[in-house]
């Protein structure tokens, strides 16, 4: 059982989806981050369990484990279609990742987004206690702060965006963009992954509220309210990734994979199957690599694990087809009777097994076309054997590139350059591999997952004592 830090205000996390104990973790960094925060402090986590129900949501279902109360809310088919697949993943996700082609706006979906947020607020309200700090996660729940305020909640409210925030020139494409920005100002603390995202948020605030709303100390003043907007780059639990990676090297799953390589080198990618992850470009970079460096034929296996995601959304159906074609083409062109260049799997694995796979890899390839952070990049670094580490190829368009500057940084659209980077990684001498790895390990240790949640919760606590919500700032 995890030791819970007592004597603090209770932490309440709200996210679209929750991970129930003993269920396999929901994909993405959010679940890992929220759990790590709650395990430290204890508290409440409210979110959707992932199943579509036949009826309108009733009361949340409660489960208490190790000091954490899990409150599962339901989504009916209509809300799943219009709120989750529709507004969240068909409008906000593509827009925030700068993929306008995939964006489809409709009032019906906008209303569903508003209604589901209202329903989350209504279901959370009776569970709240007077000393709670409330931390809302991600783009699905931007209006939740306003909804909670309207229901009379006066406790500190924080919001953290796990994905990129678009510059005003992009955000303006969304018809109710000003409402979205106003909604964010109902929080006391608004957190972003990188300085770029914060600057983009400032560009929106300037547009809607005027440049004078942004104060010199980074706080934002709207009327008589002051909020903090800051950068909190999410990290990983370095020790637990390391120990999982080491332990699972002797597990059946990792041993079977490793032995099947028959002494070949391994390049590894792990991504939710999403068009933002740059998988089509990555497959094409690998094809270029095989063309440009034929001496590697039969010597490198590329294992891409890509669990299916949001499979009812059109853009995800399309990307899946493109990837199947691309993998088939490369394998058809280059495979031999005893070698398959790309092993492409749409299934998920237990987290510890994935860490073992990453540790076995000579090259970790993380080349999203845009990504808020990308925790796989940090996990790859944490999972390596320090004495003989693999090389990370990382997209400059991932938030993680702001911190992992010792990776081989590439533009994911430049598929020839990525092909060359694969060759550079394979040929890199041990001293350079160690030097790069040491530098990155230091960075991810300094800013691990505990530091991330601690910093955010401290900012919320300050909002509590400073009572920024009601203070008339008058130049103070
Ligand atoms: O990090 C972005 C995010 O949408 C998270 O909010 C979510 O936990 C994760 O990706 C997985 O997405 P989904 O819940 O749609 O499968």
């Amino acid at each position: 059982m995890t030791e819970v830090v007592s004597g603090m205000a209770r932490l309440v996390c709200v996210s679209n989806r929750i991970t129930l104990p003993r269920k396999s973790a929901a994909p993405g960094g959010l679940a890992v981050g929220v759990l790590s925060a709650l395990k430290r402090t204890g508290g409440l986590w409210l979110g959707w369990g992932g199943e579509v129900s036949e009826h309108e949501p009733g009361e949340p279902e409660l489960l208490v484990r190790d000091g954490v109360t899990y409150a599962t809310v339901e989504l009916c088919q209509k809300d799943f279609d219009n709120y989750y697949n529709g507004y969240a993943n068909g409008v906000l996700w593509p827009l925030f990742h700068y993929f306008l082609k995939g964006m489809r706006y409709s009032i019906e979906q906008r209303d569903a987004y508003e209604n589901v947020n209202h329903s989350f607020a209504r279901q959370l309200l009776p569970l709240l206690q007077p000393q709670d700090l409330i931390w809302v996660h991600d783009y699905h729940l931007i209006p939740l702060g306003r909804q909670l305020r309207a229901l009379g909640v006066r406790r500190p409210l924080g919001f953290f965006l796990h994905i990129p925030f678009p510059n005003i020139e992009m955000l303006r494409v969304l018809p109710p963009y000003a409402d979205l920005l106003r909604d964010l100002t109902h929080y006391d603390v608004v957190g972003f992954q990188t300085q770029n995202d914060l600057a983009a948020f400032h560009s929106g605030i300037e547009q809607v509220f005027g440049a004078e709303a942004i104060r010199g100390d980074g706080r934002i003043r709207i009327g008589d309210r002051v909020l903090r907007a800051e950068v909190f780059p999410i990290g990983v639990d370095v020790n637990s990734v390391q120990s999982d990676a080491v332990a699972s090297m002797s597990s059946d799953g990792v041993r079977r994979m490793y032995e099947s390589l028959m002494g070949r080198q391994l390049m590894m990618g792990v991504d939710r199957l999403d068009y933002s992850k740059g998988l089509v470009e990555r497959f094409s970079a690998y094809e270029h690599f095989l063309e440009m460096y034929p001496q590697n034929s039969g010597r490198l296996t590329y294992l891409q694990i890509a669990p299916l995601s949001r499979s009812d959304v059109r853009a995800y159906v399309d990307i899946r087809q493109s990837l199947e074609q691309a993998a088939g083409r490369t394998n058809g062109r280059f495979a031999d009777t005893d070698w398959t260049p790309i092993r492409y799997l749409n299934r998920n694995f237990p987290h510890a097994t994935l860490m073992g796979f990453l540790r076995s890899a000579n090259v970790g390839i993380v080349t999203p076309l845009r990504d808020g952070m990308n925790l796989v990049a940090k996990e790859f670094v944490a999972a390596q054997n320090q004495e003989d580490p693999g090389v990370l190829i990382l997209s400059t368009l991932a938030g993680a590139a702001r911190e992992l500057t010792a990776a081989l940084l590439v533009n994911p659209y430049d598929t020839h350059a990525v092909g060359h980077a694969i060759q550079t990684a394979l040929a890199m001498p041990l001293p350079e591999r160690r030097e790069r790895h040491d530098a990155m390990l230091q960075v991810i240790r300094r800013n691990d997952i505990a530091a991330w949640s601690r910093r955010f919760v401290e900012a919320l606590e300050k909002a509590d004592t400073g009572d920024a919500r009601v203070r008339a700032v008058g130049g103070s």
Side-chain angles (χ1 to χ4, degrees):
M1 174 166 155
T2 324
E3 194 193 336
V4 172
V5 182
S6 59
M8 301 164 66
R10 187 177 72 148
L11 183 62
V12 172
C13 290
V14 191
S15 60
N16 170 61
R17 202 194 269 274
I18 62 174
T19 300
L20 290 167
R22 281 187 265 289
K23 288 262 173 73
S24 59
L30 184 150
V32 183
V34 171
L35 255 186
S36 118
L38 285 172
K39 280 192 172 153
R40 201 169 57 84
T41 60
L44 170 74
W45 186 4
L46 180 134
W48 174 50
E51 303 290 326
V52 177
S53 70
E54 309 267 291
H55 44 80
E56 297 288 320
E59 297 302 305
E61 201 177 305
L62 300 184
L63 173 77
V64 184
R65 280 281 184 290
D66 298 344
V68 180
T69 303
Y70 299 82
T72 309
V73 303
E74 294 182 318
L75 280 187
C76 65
Q77 185 67 48
K78 223 164 79 225
D79 289 339
F80 176 69
D81 292 340
N82 289 327
Y83 149 79
Y84 175 75
N85 286 329
Y87 204 73
N89 290 316
V91 178
L92 297 182
W93 177 273
L95 176 71
F96 281 31
H97 286 83
Y98 290 75
F99 287 103
L100 285 187
K101 205 173 130 247
M103 184 183 140
R104 302 274 174 277
Y105 179 79
S106 85
I107 299 275
E108 199 190 3
Q109 293 179 351
R110 170 76 182 92
D111 290 348
Y113 182 65
E114 184 68 18
N115 292 341
V116 170
N117 270 268
H118 181 70
S119 161
F120 268 55
R122 205 183 36 71
Q123 293 182 72
L124 180 63
L125 196 66
L127 303 176
L128 292 178
Q129 294 172 5
Q131 294 307 312
D132 285 346
L133 300 172
I134 302 159
W135 186 2
V136 178
H137 292 260
D138 238 357
Y139 57 101
H140 315 82
L141 299 176
I142 291 172
L144 188 65
R146 167 174 48 81
Q147 303 270 15
L148 288 169
R149 291 283 184 239
L151 292 175
V153 174
R154 293 288 163 263
R155 296 297 301 155
L157 286 177
F159 177 84
F160 183 77
L161 185 70
H162 290 255
I163 67 173
F165 193 81
N167 186 276
I168 185 63
E169 286 311 316
M170 179 58 62
L171 187 64
R172 255 210 279 252
V173 167
L174 184 73
Y177 77 91
D179 292 338
L180 183 146
L181 284 160
R182 268 187 221 108
D183 280 352
L184 284 170
T185 67
H186 286 268
Y187 293 93
D188 298 299
V189 180
V190 179
F192 298 97
Q193 297 276 25
T194 69
Q195 206 60 47
N196 284 355
D197 303 311
L198 178 61
F201 177 61
H202 282 165
S203 73
I205 290 290
E206 246 183 82
Q207 167 83 28
V208 174
F209 299 101
E212 63 284 0
I214 302 167
R215 295 174 19 155
D217 61 1
R219 289 195 281 179
I220 290 172
R221 174 186 169 176
I222 313 285
D224 65 352
R225 295 193 63 259
V226 175
L227 62 126
R228 285 174 176 278
E230 285 175 26
V231 176
F232 302 86
I234 193 168
V236 295
D237 184 338
V238 177
N239 291 340
S240 113
V241 169
Q242 269 178 351
S243 54
D244 279 356
V246 171
S248 70
M249 288 303 277
S250 49
S251 70
D252 187 47
V254 178
R255 267 211 341 262
R256 270 179 39 226
M257 187 284 291
Y258 193 76
E259 281 163 14
S260 75
L261 295 173
M262 317 263 290
R264 295 185 180 98
Q265 294 201 291
L266 173 68
M267 178 166 83
M268 172 93 206
V270 185
D271 308 78
R272 262 186 325 102
L273 202 161
D274 194 299
Y275 50 86
S276 65
K277 302 295 180 186
L279 293 171
V280 171
E281 291 74 8
R282 195 182 300 172
F283 281 13
S284 135
Y286 184 54
E287 201 171 352
H288 290 320
F289 161 80
L290 293 172
E291 278 162 6
M292 293 183 294
Y293 302 101
Q295 68 274 24
N296 285 297
S297 188
R299 293 205 173 142
L300 175 70
T301 296
Y302 167 26
L303 173 58
Q304 177 63 53
I305 294 178
L308 297 183
S309 177
R310 306 171 193 170
S311 11
D312 297 326
V313 179
R314 181 77 233 169
Y316 290 75
V317 175
D318 293 346
I319 190 81
R320 190 174 168 191
Q321 278 176 3
S322 308
L323 284 168
E324 281 161 8
Q325 279 172 13
R329 191 182 55 236
T330 301
N331 284 339
R333 227 181 123 190
F334 295 97
D336 210 331
T337 47
D338 60 350
W339 174 58
T340 310
I342 304 187
R343 296 186 191 173
Y344 171 54
L345 282 72
N346 287 140
R347 56 169 286 208
N348 208 349
F349 288 84
H351 190 254
T353 308
L354 287 176
M355 298 307 102
F357 289 164
L358 290 178
R359 188 177 175 88
S360 316
N362 306 85
V363 181
I365 187 152
V366 182
T367 50
L369 304 178
R370 196 160 296 265
D371 213 331
M373 175 54 65
N374 198 301
L375 288 187
V376 174
K378 293 186 172 182
E379 287 173 335
F380 177 79
V381 174
Q384 292 309 298
N385 171 1
Q386 270 177 271
E387 303 306 315
D388 185 15
V391 178
L392 175 64
I393 298 179
L394 177 61
S395 161
T396 52
L397 302 174
R402 305 279 81 77
E403 294 169 90
L404 302 180
T405 50
L408 280 183
L409 294 175
V410 291
N411 180 328
Y413 290 96
D414 189 348
T415 51
H416 278 90
V418 177
H420 284 301
I422 298 173
Q423 176 62 17
T424 308
L426 292 174
M428 192 178 287
L430 180 61
E432 183 179 347
R433 280 193 276 130
R434 283 174 65 163
E435 196 179 311
R436 286 175 182 268
H437 179 257
D438 283 350
M440 292 192 283
L441 193 58
Q442 269 187 38
V443 173
I444 62 169
R445 271 203 187 288
R446 225 179 7 246
N447 183 35
D448 67 0
I449 191 80
W452 171 75
S453 60
R454 202 181 312 114
R455 276 192 59 221
F456 196 94
V457 172
E458 277 169 13
L460 265 181
E461 282 166 349
K462 273 195 213 144
D464 195 13
T465 49
D467 203 5
R469 286 152 292 123
V470 290
R471 185 155 37 106
V473 283
S476 64

